[in-house]
Amino acid sequence: MDPTQAYLPSQVFAPPGTGRAPRAFIAPQRYIQGAGVLAHIGRYLSLLGARRAAILISAGGQRRHAAVLVDSLRAAGIESVVCRFGGECSLPEIEKHAGALRAQNVGCVLAVGGGKCVDAGKAIAFRLGVPVVVAPTLASNDAPCSALSVLYTPAGVSIGLEFQPCSPALVVVDTAIVAAAPERYLVSGMGDAMATWYEASVCLHNEKAVTTIGARPTIASFAIGEICAQTLFEQGAAAAAAVADHVVNDSLETVVEANTLLSGLGFESGGLAAAHGYAQSFTAIPVTKAEYLHGEMVAMGTLAQLVLESRPEEARRVAEFFARVGLPVHLEQLAIEAGDRSALNTIADAALAFPFTGNMPMRIDAAVLRQALLAADELGAAVSREAGDASYRRLHAA
Ligand SMILES: [Zn+2]
């Protein structure tokens, strides 16, 4: 895509020189969640009036879900074009599908899969000028509800964000599919979701902070973040147990909503801060990037942010929850040596360069970030010794 065509939300919501940024809240038009809902996708898509839909799906997803999707669409009088997602949310992958679909006259793009497939679907729909419908098959991340994509090179190295002017038209989460996935994905989603409240809180209370769209946060997004964290503290362990048994119950439904809807709305309109700065910085360590999920890195970043905020008691409460469900609470659990100065310097520099780390209210430099991370590592290691690491070891058994 021509970079001059890129959509920059801050140019709309808060261009330079226009004074204090306004509050803004953005969200998908409809969110639908339940066991078996994917079999009714045709009915939901009929809301959009499209007669022809592109389905972006991986080869494995196609084997598991394509027949159900195509049948449901056909029953609603909607034709479908299946596009095989190659696995990376890269510009070549996005342009390839957008190019092939231009002649197909599709009325919407339906992305069915994990975070990268969902993000690629949003970017393809943007290029075609049609609505995107998102059907996540994992609750491991908060990509489904947002109007942005994380872009990678074809080799999988992160190269930044692409924003879209429209949020997804529909988000359809089939909890029977989420419950069939390994427990580690749901747990990772809890790590990503738990950061939401703490990051939104920093942004709401620091009047210089701005959200991912360049606006000021709303109280609504802060409140959504708060109920998200409360839900995880109360029901996270029960939901992890449900997904370990591949059972859909109320705890699982509630936590899937927290990981997908609450976390998504909360981060996009509530703002990000140091927790995500640390999480992105851990991807600079090759073994960590290769072996750990985004939400697992956000978990460690959340502990470090709470230390940075001088909130040791809250950091301990969060670490105890993370240890209970099996999220990393110290650096060794992300394959990082606390004594490796070169790795720690790399992490601190990368965390400092992340644009939303600057939403923290205090003076931040690389040394401050490194110090907070080491203190969080010590606190997490102590919690891990007391609480044990059985859940972590179970989720990470080869
Ligand atoms: Zn995240």
Side-chain angles (χ1 to χ4, degrees), residues 130-148:
V130 298
V132 66
V133 177
V134 173
T137 52
L138 299 170
S140 64
N141 60 77
D142 52 21
C145 293
S146 73
L148 60 88

Side-chain angles (χ1 to χ4, degrees), residues 142 192 276 294 298:
D142 52 21
D192 203 9
H276 269 80
H294 171 69
V298 177

